[in-house]
Amino acid sequence: MNTDLFGMAGKAALITGATRGIGLAIARAYGRAGARLAISSESLEDCTRVAATLTREGFDAWPIAADLSQQEDVVILAEAVLARFGILDALVCNAGIAPHMGPLATASDLDWDATLTVNLRSALWLTSAVLPAMAARGGGSVVLMASIAGVRGNKALGLYGISKAGLAQLARNLAVEWGPENIRINAISPGVIQTEFARPLTDNPEVMQRRMALTPLRRVGRPEEVAALALLLAAPGGAFISGQNIVVDGGTTIGDGN
C-alpha cells in the first residue's frame, strides 16, 4: 500500500486553464507532490511563460495550448499529452468562461453555445479522449471544476451556473461508467476565490459586503485552498472518493446571513 497519501511521484497530470488562478495553484500543488505537468490554456504564449516559471521553481512542466471550443483541438491536446508522457494519471478540467451576465432570457444562442461548449462539452471530449489510456494504466483521477453557481439559483450567472451544474452531473455519470476501471471522477464547486476571474465580484464592495454576510468564515477563498482538495482527489489519500461534487465556499451555501 502507498503510504504517501498526498504524493504523485511518477505520475503525469494535464491541467486546463492552468496559467492563472485556481488552475495554476493546482499545477503547483501537483508539481510539489512530484507529478509531471502539462500546462494548457488557449494561449501558447501564456502556457510557455508559466511552464518556464514552474520549471525554474523546480517542477517538470511542459506547455501545450488548445482551443477547447474546437473538438479537433481537444483531441489533438489529448494525443499530444499521451505522446509526451506515455501515460496520464490525473486530468483537471479547470478552464471555463462566463461570457454572459444577466437574466437567462437575455443570453444569445452564441452565449449558450460558447458557455456550454467550453465549460461542459470540452470536458466530455477530453475525458473521452484520455480515459481509455488511463484505464489501461490501471486507473487515475479526473477533477472537473464546477462552481457554487451550479448548486443554487443566480440572477447574474445563470447560464454559467447551468454549465457548471452539468459538470457536476458529468462527474457522477463518468464515475459510474469508469469506476470499474479504477478511475475516479469528482467535481469541485468553489465559492468566491481571490482570482482574476472573480474580480467583477471581489472588486465590488457592495457585492462583497452582501456575500461576506452570507459566508460564515467572512472572507473569500484562496486558490491554494481549492488546489489542496484537487491534490487529495488525485493522490492516494483520495482513492475512495468518486462521483462527488465537493463545495469549497467558506460556508456560503449554508449561511443564512446571520
Side-chain angles (χ1 to χ4, degrees):
M1 178 179 177
N2 189 341
T3 58
D4 186 0
L5 294 180
F6 297 94
M8 295 183 67
K11 297 186 181 297
L14 165 61
I15 303 121
T16 68
T19 58
R20 61 180 184 172
I22 291 172
L24 179 54
I26 292 173
R28 283 199 167 97
Y30 283 14
R32 280 192 294 270
R36 291 177 288 167
L37 308 169
I39 302 298
S40 187
S41 79
E42 64 181 354
S43 167
L44 181 57
E45 180 181 357
D46 288 348
C47 292
T48 301
R49 172 180 50 80
V50 169
T53 298
L54 293 173
T55 299
R56 287 194 296 271
E57 294 174 6
F59 304 135
D60 184 348
W62 173 62
I64 178 167
D67 180 355
L68 297 185
S69 71
Q70 303 299 315
Q71 185 173 12
E72 182 180 4
D73 265 32
V74 174
V75 172
I76 290 172
L77 169 65
E79 292 174 346
V81 171
L82 290 170
R84 170 80 178 195
F85 294 140
I87 59 171
L88 187 66
D89 304 280
L91 167 65
V92 180
C93 294
N94 172 71
I97 61 172
H100 174 265
M101 294 189 69
L104 282 170
T106 66
S108 68
D109 287 346
L110 289 177
D111 291 329
W112 278 90
D113 288 345
T115 303
L116 293 180
T117 296
V118 173
N119 293 0
L120 179 57
R121 192 175 289 129
S122 72
L124 177 61
W125 291 338
L126 192 48
T127 51
S128 297
V130 303
L131 290 185
M134 198 177 280
R137 178 163 164 78
S141 168
V142 176
V143 174
L144 307 178
M145 198 58 61
S147 169
I148 63 169
V151 300
R152 62 182 190 176
N154 192 302
K155 290 177 69 175
L157 287 169
L159 179 52
Y160 176 79
I162 287 171
S163 70
K164 294 300 185 174
L167 273 181
Q169 183 61 33
L170 180 62
R172 290 184 283 266
N173 285 346
L174 291 179
V176 170
E177 291 180 16
W178 290 91
E181 303 296 333
N182 193 35
I183 295 175
R184 296 171 291 108
I185 295 93
N186 292 284
I188 298 175
S189 284
V192 178
I193 308 297
Q194 192 68 59
T195 64
E196 187 70 23
F197 185 80
R199 284 192 63 182
L201 294 176
T202 57
D203 285 355
N204 187 321
E206 183 181 346
V207 170
M208 290 310 297
Q209 183 179 7
R210 293 197 304 269
R211 175 56 67 89
M212 291 306 99
L214 290 169
T215 302
L217 290 184
R218 297 296 193 265
R219 67 175 178 86
V220 300
R222 299 189 300 272
E224 294 76 14
E225 293 168 328
V226 181
L229 174 58
L231 175 59
L232 168 66
L233 294 176
F240 204 52
I241 303 172
S242 193
Q244 303 305 303
N245 178 29
I246 304 174
V247 175
V248 184
D249 70 347
T252 300
T253 50
I254 57 91
D256 65 354
N258 293 313

